[in-house]
Amino acid sequence: MFLKNSRYAGLPSVPARGPRSEGGVVVVKLRPLPDTAGEPTAIRAHDQLDAMSEKLYAGDASRYWHIADANSELEAAELTRTTGRVVDVPKS
């Protein structure tokens, strides 16, 4: 269902519940976030997580979620909205 390098690969799925879950909708169970150390990095104007991860992780833009996991923001895109904000960026 997911690419092998996805943060959701291998997670169990469960039937969705609620008024909009008719028709066999399946969802992935929440996953515990790993304890990830990162190097404090200031966000510059126009930074994007996928571009940052492509530069940092040998051309793999899909690893942006490593940066998201190292920080406590619920929506990953929020990490780069404020120029000057310091976020943790894992080395690998």
Side-chain angles (χ1 to χ4, degrees):
M1 179 185 324
F2 296 101
L3 295 174
K4 65 181 178 181
N5 67 342
S6 168
R7 60 181 156 179
Y8 301 109
L11 288 178
S13 57
V14 295
R17 292 183 242 161
R20 298 183 186 179
S21 62
E22 300 169 13
V25 175
V26 176
V27 297
V28 176
K29 282 187 159 187
L30 290 176
R31 67 186 180 86
L33 290 178
D35 187 19
T36 306
E39 179 150 342
T41 303
I43 297 297
R44 297 174 302 187
H46 310 293
D47 271 348
Q48 294 177 239
L49 292 184
D50 58 344
M52 291 170 71
S53 66
E54 184 170 2
K55 182 179 176 183
L56 295 166
Y57 305 129
D60 190 353
S62 70
R63 291 183 59 191
Y64 71 90
W65 59 270
H66 288 270
I67 301 169
D69 281 355
N71 296 275
S72 60
E73 196 69 59
L74 290 176
E75 187 177 329
E78 290 294 326
L79 292 170
T80 57
R81 289 217 172 116
T82 305
T83 300
R85 177 179 180 174
V86 176
V87 299
D88 290 328
V89 177
K91 291 185 188 255
S92 59

